Amino acid sequence: MAGEPLVLVVEDEPAQREVLAYNIRAEGFQVVTAEAGDEALVLVRETPPDVIILDWMLPHVSGIEVCRQLKNGTDTSRIPVIMLSARSEEVDKVRGLETGADDYVVKPYSVAELLARLRTQLRRIRPAAVGERLEYDDILLDMTEYRVYRAGASLTLGPTEFRLLTAFMERPGRVWSREQLLDRVWGRDIYVDSRTVDVHVGRLRKVLRSSGSDDPIRTVRGAGYALG
């Protein structure tokens, strides 16, 4: 479904890979899987995920090397990486974290704990994905109640406009291209003309200005749109 976080699970043991994928989908997230490091690097560049769960010991390219390459990449450095490893020594944890991993989980692990750590990373980069309330200036977006308020007044938004506003409010100031908004709001597997984004941004602006308030959405010529 459009707007759901995408999690990449990189694990060479089929049973563990399937258990993780099943439980992550049960949380309401999208999942793609890879069984080797080189495959993971290709997948990340083709369809960047929101979070990566990455095993240390992988065929062809190790998890440590995958993490190093991703964290050194301009377009991939901000993707959170949760490293999985049977290595429990402190020196190994330090190495994993110094390579750029955002979290380190020792095998065997509790799936419930891993999911909690996953939600922590999502809360940091996509707070709306875990039911957070988002605020910007006088705009309040409540994911649990699926409501939007401006200056205390309730606003009525269509589903697409709600997802658009969610993306904007998760990253105020970020300039989103039409293509990026299409991926986030409509989904990666759905073809929609990029100009459709302009139509829905226009509708969102109209609702946000309905009480006479200023337009909080900024058009960046040749680049896209930003909140603030």
Side-chain angles (χ1 to χ4, degrees):
M1 185 179 296
E4 292 178 346
L6 177 65
V7 181
L8 170 60
V9 175
V10 190
E11 168 64 72
D12 64 327
E13 295 185 23
Q16 290 194 40
R17 188 170 64 246
E18 290 307 311
V19 166
L20 279 178
Y22 174 83
N23 282 278
I24 292 169
R25 290 191 182 100
E27 290 289 303
F29 307 141
Q30 300 179 83
V31 182
V32 290
T33 62
E35 60 184 43
D38 50 354
E39 180 188 0
L41 289 169
V42 171
L43 285 173
V44 171
R45 293 186 177 108
E46 288 179 347
T47 308
D50 293 292
V51 178
I52 301 170
I53 296 177
L54 178 65
D55 189 30
W56 179 315
M57 299 298 291
L58 294 170
H60 309 305
V61 181
S62 71
I64 281 287
E65 177 60 19
V66 170
C67 185
R68 186 191 67 78
Q69 291 190 34
L70 293 176
K71 293 301 181 178
N72 287 336
T74 303
D75 298 328
T76 57
S77 61
R78 294 181 178 273
I79 302 174
V81 173
I82 301 174
M83 182 77 72
L84 305 180
S85 177
R87 299 168 181 257
S88 59
E89 297 296 326
E90 182 178 0
V91 65
D92 295 314
K93 295 181 183 180
V94 170
R95 183 184 174 196
L97 295 170
E98 286 185 342
T99 303
D102 299 86
D103 200 352
Y104 190 99
V105 178
V106 176
K107 293 181 175 181
Y109 52 80
S110 157
V111 173
E113 179 186 354
L114 181 57
L115 291 175
R117 291 173 182 256
L118 171 60
R119 287 192 293 269
T120 295
Q121 295 302 326
L122 285 169
R123 185 175 292 111
R124 180 167 63 85
I125 61 162
R126 290 191 59 182
V130 288
E132 299 284 314
R133 285 162 50 119
L134 305 179
E135 294 186 50
Y136 174 81
D137 197 11
D138 61 349
I139 304 171
L140 170 65
L141 186 149
D142 191 323
M143 290 298 299
T144 58
E145 296 184 359
Y146 208 79
R147 293 181 180 275
V148 177
Y149 303 88
R150 185 160 197 195
S154 179
L155 303 180
T156 302
L157 294 179
T160 301
E161 287 71 40
F162 188 90
R163 292 194 298 270
L164 265 176
L165 183 59
T166 300
F168 285 134
M169 291 187 67
E170 284 182 326
R171 297 285 296 276
R174 168 180 171 167
V175 179
W176 294 83
S177 69
R178 292 182 179 87
E179 291 71 23
Q180 288 170 332
L181 288 171
L182 284 173
D183 280 349
R184 174 61 66 87
V185 176
W186 279 265
R188 296 171 172 88
D189 300 322
I190 299 175
Y191 176 76
V192 180
D193 186 271
S194 62
R195 293 297 170 181
T196 302
V197 174
D198 301 337
V199 173
H200 287 278
V201 168
R203 292 176 182 172
L204 175 59
R205 280 175 155 155
K206 183 177 179 180
V207 175
L208 292 175
R209 296 194 307 244
S210 59
S211 61
S213 301
D214 293 336
D215 182 2
I217 299 175
R218 176 166 50 98
T219 300
V220 182
R221 188 175 297 276
Y225 299 99
L227 181 66

